[in-house]
Amino acid sequence: MTRCDQITTLWKACFQDTEEFIRFYFDRKYKDEDSLLYTENSIPLAASLMLPYSMAWQNTIVRTSYISGACTHPQARKRGIMTRLLQEGFQEMYNRGIAFTTLIPAEKWLYDFYARLGYATVFHRHTIQYTPSPIRQENECTVKIISHWDSTVISTTYSYFTRHMHSHPCHVIHSFDDYQDILTDLHMSNGCLAIAYSHAIPEQITGFALALPENDKITIKEIATDTPNIRNTLLDTLFAYCKLPIPSYPVLSPAPLPAKTHYHSQPFGMARIICLRPLLEHLAAQHPHLNLTFHVIDPILPGNQGTYILSQGHCEKTNTPAHQTELTAILTLTKYLLEYGNVQPHMSLMLE
């Protein structure tokens, strides 16, 4: 069997995905060079993919590797195989100059597992409870709900989607190909795309939402609109069209909300620093007022360890700890860098 065949076989043993999704995923996302595989006697026992994504951070774009499909065969669990496999992946990412690795834990207990490898919980899913409008306000738009879309719809909604995402200072970036894959996955799951068009300029998009029916409700995977009224019109139209409840809708990050708004936030994803020094050099250049000295501990990637001095827009590294230098774990530093300036990093639509 090829490496791809081995990982596909293991995937089927560990996950409950449909054949259609598995074929789509491995056709669109899989590359040998981005895969990690552990075998014994030619039998695949653990695997993971390191999918490349870009991320906006501190007014620049950095490279990340998203851990996808991490799985261990049921008969080989609790042997530390996945820990060793991910550590191997970290070293490969380091050699490639990757800035951060990201992931979305499939279960709550995995947050502690990944934290032991240096991952910090920095991504949260922020949602607001949806209540259908009792009185229809004057519409600013016309909403169209479609389950089949052509290249024009894909390109125009992608342009609107990227403008929406770029309003956030720290977010995982989706390329046009990624966006096409997101819509393909939505279509395979019987989801739909709701688009709001301006009354004044009929071809101008003023809002859109990705909606997925699941478990007798509608999950809004992503929504972006020019105004709150357009958002309400879009959601009300989806509610009437699907005839299913919409419990909530996501927002990029917390913001001042009207009184009595029911807001909820929960952990969603994690990140870990891979190549530290270029990140600190960029942070120092962006914030020349910073005056910091700390000694970094990273037993998995020794190349990150050392004493870093940030001063007057520059970053220096020495392997000799300064007197009374604070010891900083890589998990703590990951959280510090990604949340610097009270930013809340955003990640969504990762085919999770």
Side-chain angles (χ1 to χ4, degrees), residues 62-75:
V62 298
R63 298 166 62 202
T64 73
S65 285
Y66 174 67
I67 297 298
S68 176
C71 58
T72 304
H73 194 282
Q75 297 180 359

Side-chain angles (χ1 to χ4, degrees), residues 1-9 30 32 37 44:
M1 289 198 300
T2 66
R3 187 180 184 88
C4 181
D5 290 338
Q6 288 179 302
I7 295 176
T8 302
T9 298
Y30 179 85
D32 276 352
L37 176 64

